[in-house]
Amino acid sequence: MNTIMSLFLWVSYGVSLAIGVILATIAHIAGYRKDPFKVRPNRYFMALGYNFVRFNPFWEKNFLGLDKVDPDTPTIFVGNHQSFMDMPLLAGLPFDMKWVSKIELFKVPVVGWLLKMGGHIGVKRGNKEAIKSLEKIKPYLDERIPVMIFPEGTRSRKGELKKFKNGAFIVAKKHNYLIQPIVIHGTYDILPPGDWRVKWKGKFFISILDPIIPSHFETMEQLRDHTCDSFKSEINRLKVLTHSN
């Protein structure tokens, strides 16, 4: 049963992405000069991306802490990365943001085109190169367009929180941009890395925590570790909620 339903879900999502390419291309061309940050194409991209989650009514989707987001303050969102499903689920958030991804993804057909047309940000991997290229996020943040970074750097293969890399916290400390955790829980259980078959029933959480002010910490390391600790505490809380009725 899961195999059949998974096939249906992936085919439906593929059709949505094809439509997304067409709509994003039209919006990109129409607003090329007036929309330098590609806000309009990205809205189509996010709406259609969320279809992967929207198409299954048996998944319980919980968005917590939406009122904690201040759209008028430059913010770096940081999120844990459990599964492919993290991105479609994040696409359901009711505000625009740009994702920071490894530059290799921008070379992948369809996915790369959508990322480029949506104005998302590609960075090089490797400590020095990644930190240097992360300065690309500054023009977006200065225009009050938030960005989303996965500080683990890649998906967790076991569903556990990985060690945070420094890049997001170095940039936040340097420019005093807010750091705001977005904690994702439940996606690993539904679609773990390395598998394409989804569990047809499950419960997802996206929990937005209070923003963290970098100037309140003496060092970048203190900022990074405090943020990581906040993720661990919230993940433990969400585990309890997942198994409650």
Side-chain angles (χ1 to χ4, degrees), residues 127-138:
N127 291 336
K128 292 183 179 179
E129 289 293 335
I131 292 170
K132 183 178 178 180
S133 60
L134 268 175
E135 287 291 332
K136 293 179 182 179
I137 70 177
K138 189 176 186 300

Side-chain angles (χ1 to χ4, degrees), residues 145-199:
I145 300 172
V147 299
M148 176 74 189
I149 297 175
F150 295 108
E152 295 167 285
T154 186
R155 285 180 292 176
S156 170
R157 307 305 296 184
K158 297 181 180 180
E160 299 175 353
L161 193 67
K162 295 168 63 70
K163 182 179 179 180
F164 282 2
K165 297 183 180 297
N166 295 335
F169 308 100
I170 290 175
V171 175
K173 196 82 173 71
K174 179 179 178 180
H175 300 290
N176 202 35
Y177 295 134
L178 289 183
I179 287 283
Q180 190 150 22
I182 297 183
V183 183
I184 303 166
H185 184 67
T187 54
Y188 180 88
D189 292 332
I190 301 299
L191 181 61
D195 200 351
W196 63 273
R197 293 165 298 179
V198 299
K199 293 181 181 177

Side-chain angles (χ1 to χ4, degrees), residues 6 16-17 20 34 49 55 58 87 118 120 123 130 132 141 159 167 171 185 187 197 206 214 220 231 243:
S6 297
S16 290
L17 283 180
K34 296 181 180 180
F55 285 155
F58 301 105
M87 282 74 77
H120 297 283
V123 298
K132 183 178 178 180
L141 292 166
V171 175
H185 184 67
T187 54
R197 293 165 298 179
I206 281 189
M220 176 278 297
F231 270 87
H243 296 96

